Amino acid sequence: MSRLLGDECDPTQLSALGLAFVGDGVYDLIIREELACRGNRPVKELNLEKVEFVRCQAQAELVKKIEPLLTEEEADVLRRGRNAHVTHAPKSATMAQYHAATAFEALLGYLYLSDRIERIRDLIRLGAGKNADREE
């Protein structure tokens, strides 16, 4: 799989928040696909479960797991995302969790726009404690 539109885009020229904007959508779609493919269930149930994965706290935990596995380039993007100027966090999350979630989303946005979809899959599998090399 490659990017959906495939238009030219240089992710190195985008702000960390621009990358996070894309990464938020990428992660949301990945989680929706995973949950939907587990079998038919009411949409309300799917949405409730999705929220457990995409909330700041869950993304912050994922960052802790994958951070030691990142390349230098990926770590730089993560750092840029973590240092992005955000003015507020959801009431249910700390600013540190929100910064970590923004960093994670920036990394996903960067990898997606760099057409490195398989690396996104690997990092999410590793963060979830799954073998990144398994065939699906």
Side-chain angles (χ1 to χ4, degrees):
M1 177 184 162
S2 61
R3 289 182 36 226
L4 294 172
L5 289 178
D7 294 343
E8 286 298 315
C9 180
D10 182 0
T12 63
Q13 299 301 307
L14 297 178
S15 71
L17 293 178
L19 293 172
F21 174 76
V22 173
D24 177 57
V26 169
Y27 192 54
D28 193 70
L29 180 59
I30 289 168
I31 296 303
R32 286 172 183 261
E33 179 183 329
E34 169 75 19
L35 295 174
C37 290
R38 288 182 186 173
N40 281 328
R41 290 185 292 157
V43 172
K44 184 176 181 177
E45 278 183 33
L46 293 170
N47 270 315
L48 289 172
E49 191 170 353
K50 178 197 71 139
V51 168
E52 291 303 309
F53 287 98
V54 299
R55 62 192 179 93
C56 292
Q57 299 89 329
Q59 289 184 22
E61 288 301 313
L62 198 58
V63 168
K64 288 179 189 176
K65 293 177 183 176
I66 66 168
E67 198 164 8
L69 309 169
L70 299 179
T71 66
E72 188 174 324
E73 174 189 21
E74 293 165 348
D76 286 344
V77 173
L78 193 76
R79 198 170 11 265
R80 278 181 57 210
R82 187 175 277 137
N83 293 332
H85 180 68
V86 294
T87 57
H88 69 285
K91 291 179 184 178
S92 62
T94 66
M95 281 304 281
Q97 290 169 328
Y98 191 67
H99 281 284
T102 301
F104 177 66
E105 291 171 350
L107 177 59
L108 292 185
Y110 181 84
L111 292 172
Y112 175 78
L113 292 172
S114 299
D115 209 15
R116 291 191 259 179
I117 309 304
E118 193 56 42
R119 181 60 174 159
I120 293 171
R121 289 183 188 124
D122 289 346
L123 290 174
I124 290 172
R125 287 179 186 137
L126 289 166
K130 297 177 182 177
N131 183 356
D133 295 327
R134 77 174 189 193
E135 290 297 315
E136 306 241 339

